[in-house]
Amino acid sequence: MTSSSRPPALDTLAIHAGQEPDPLYAAVMTPIVLSSTFAQPSPGQPKRYEYSRSGNPTREALELCLAALEGAKSGFAFASGSAATLTLLSLLKSGDHVLCGDDVYGGTFRLLDKVVAPLGIGASFVDLRDLERAEKALLPTTKLVWIETPTNPLLKVYDIEGLAKLAQARGALLVVDNTFASPVLQRPLERGAGVVMHSTTKYINGHSDAVGGALVTSDPVLAERLRFQQNAIGAVPSPFDCFLVLRGVKTLPLRMRRHSESALLLAERLESAPGVRAVRYPWLPSHPEYALARSQMASGGGMISFEIDGGIAAARNFLSSLKLFILAESLGGVESLAEHPASMTHASIPEATRALLGISDGLVRLSVGLEGVEDLWSDIEQALACR
Ligand SMILES: Cc1ncc(COP(=O)(O)O)c(C=O)c1O
């Protein structure tokens, strides 16, 4: 891809990996190949593709690009992040166990708790920041250790390398949901993770106009199993959605730098804002895992969470008073979003569990977009005054 022996920068990979000019018309942008099926020269001998569930050129371009960004050998795209999660979990069998971080996306908790638990696959949810505690929580039947880092919504930071070593020593696989950080901030496979999962709906696409997911790995045996499950289960994205994600990912490195810059500034100001407590942002020196975050991540990312004095009423007033931040679920788009985890993204976690985790009624989560940062700050200030 480049003429030098140095590996290409992420900025270059985002624009070119998997995206050679199309051989038929030399189109620079990857074509959207909508065909569900492909002509075969003779029975049972397809050329490269046979049927778009098993493989499609637009999807393959995206899969190659995502694999390259994460430094992986293989990538698989799915119709959503949840579809990616479930496809990976479908490799487990009754009696297997998943050790999961205690602060995960509500939908991931719901899949483990309500969809795979009835199939005999157990899961425990543990704060895995403490590696001794993590080691004790590993069972002989643990096949997967599942983490997000930074976590959603409390932005805890887990030690990828430490957990990868623990998992490997017990024959388990570390899965990192890298949705919040993206490969621009951290590449978990380089730190020993076995699989990286993404909701590409978020930063990877970055424009809030497509739902998608991905799994990437460098393990050839696992890749073959995932390829089989991807085709057998069939939760694949449409070629049009793959095109949108490919278009979005080209600016990922640029966007992540700006998200991080603006979020750090807002987090610093929030720390001394009246009525605000417990500002959580990985690159604030007050963050409990600040040193780990600085060593593991290239920058702090675009997500901030904090508590508003006055509980649920104050949080609701604050959120309804925002004018530029849009009150909506999801994150990682160019536009800034705000949400209330207890009643929105994490409502599927039982109230008592939320309380134990620290997802209080006064907790607010911001996804800092690419607008002018002073405009964003003015919006926060005026909404805080209305709380
Ligand atoms: C960290 C994280 N992982 C997974 C998911 C699920 O992805 P999707 O909504 O694309 O199914 C989400 C969705 O918000 C998320 O925030």
Side-chain angles (χ1 to χ4, degrees):
M1 180 180 298
T2 54
S3 41
S4 97
S5 54
R6 168 176 51 73
L10 277 197
D11 306 63
T12 308
L13 291 173
I15 294 168
H16 294 289
Q19 302 161 76
E20 298 297 324
D22 131 66
L24 195 54
Y25 298 115
V28 168
M29 282 304 296
T30 308
I32 306 171
V33 180
L34 289 172
S35 192
S36 57
T37 190
F38 298 84
Q40 305 192 12
S42 57
Q45 299 208 310
K47 283 180 163 173
R48 180 147 173 195
Y49 305 99
E50 58 188 287
Y51 184 61
S52 271
R53 171 162 41 73
S54 48
N56 170 281
T58 318
R59 189 175 93 215
E60 192 174 290
L62 174 62
E63 293 176 333
L64 289 169
C65 182
L66 295 179
L69 288 174
E70 288 286 2
K73 294 208 168 93
S74 308
F76 303 92
F78 296 89
S80 67
S82 305
T85 300
L86 188 58
T87 302
L88 184 54
L89 293 175
S90 76
L91 295 176
L92 302 180
K93 56 182 192 330
S94 176
D96 287 346
H97 171 257
V98 180
L99 174 60
C100 186
D102 63 350
D103 186 34
V104 281
Y105 169 59
T108 303
F109 174 85
R110 184 173 51 200
L111 274 176
L112 288 165
D113 187 48
K114 296 277 189 292
V115 178
V116 304
L119 305 175
I121 297 158
S124 32
F125 299 89
V126 176
D127 186 340
L128 300 173
R129 285 177 296 180
D130 176 349
L131 291 181
E132 259 178 51
R133 193 165 172 200
E135 189 167 19
K136 285 194 190 123
L138 282 162
L139 305 179
T141 51
T142 305
K143 293 290 184 309
L144 297 181
V145 177
W146 191 290
I147 58 166
E148 292 172 14
T149 180
T151 66
N152 182 5
L154 295 170
L155 301 168
K156 294 177 188 173
V157 176
Y158 285 133
D159 177 352
I160 298 175
E161 226 164 280
L163 287 167
K165 280 190 189 132
L166 285 185
Q168 271 163 21
R170 300 289 193 93
L173 197 70
L174 177 69
V175 184
V176 178
D177 178 338
N178 205 20
T179 300
F180 268 37
S182 91
V184 179
L185 270 50
Q186 69 194 11
R187 304 214 302 171
L189 297 182
E190 288 171 357
R191 295 182 181 271
V195 183
V196 167
M197 177 261 156
H198 275 284
S199 167
T200 56
T201 318
K202 313 294 172 355
Y203 287 108
I204 297 263
N205 177 43
H207 293 75
S208 307
D209 53 10
V211 171
L215 297 171
V216 305
T217 183
S218 286
D219 175 337
V221 176
L222 184 60
E224 268 328 294
R225 293 184 72 199
L226 288 174
R227 195 181 310 287
F228 180 88
Q229 301 298 90
Q230 181 194 39
N231 180 40
I233 295 170
V236 291
S238 74
F240 184 68
D241 282 348
C242 292
F243 170 81
L244 286 175
V245 179
L246 265 175
R247 186 163 76 153
V249 80
K250 286 177 192 288
T251 54
L252 178 72
L254 208 59
R255 286 187 280 109
M256 290 313 295
R257 288 196 275 274
R258 172 67 178 262
H259 284 300
S260 294
E261 238 173 67
S262 296
L264 177 59
L265 187 73
L266 296 183
E268 282 167 355
R269 290 189 186 173
L270 276 164
E271 276 207 306
S272 50
V276 170
R277 276 182 295 115
V279 180
R280 298 175 177 93
Y281 183 72
W283 270 35
L284 280 182
S286 58
H287 189 285
E289 291 87 53
Y290 174 67
L292 175 63
R294 292 291 302 221
S295 69
Q296 190 168 274
M297 301 168 70
S299 60
M303 302 301 297
I304 305 174
S305 60
F306 58 94
E307 312 250 351
I308 297 215
D309 282 341
I312 192 150
R316 280 182 185 280
N317 284 342
F318 169 77
L319 288 165
S320 315
S321 305
L322 288 165
K323 294 190 166 61
L324 191 52
F325 277 86
I326 300 168
L327 176 56
E329 298 202 6
S330 202
L331 59 111
V334 292
E335 64 291 305
S336 293
L337 301 180
E339 69 112 5
H340 183 237
S343 64
M344 295 170 70
T345 47
H346 291 69
S348 54
I349 297 179
E351 197 178 339
T353 314
R354 283 202 309 268
L356 276 177
L357 290 175
I359 304 176
S360 72
D361 285 348
L363 186 76
V364 165
R365 190 189 78 182
L366 300 180
S367 169
V368 177
L370 306 183
E371 301 92 338
V373 69
E374 291 305 336
D375 297 331
L376 294 175
W377 178 243
S378 302
D379 194 31
I380 291 173
E381 267 192 317
Q382 68 78 25
L384 281 174
C386 301
R387 109 198 104 83

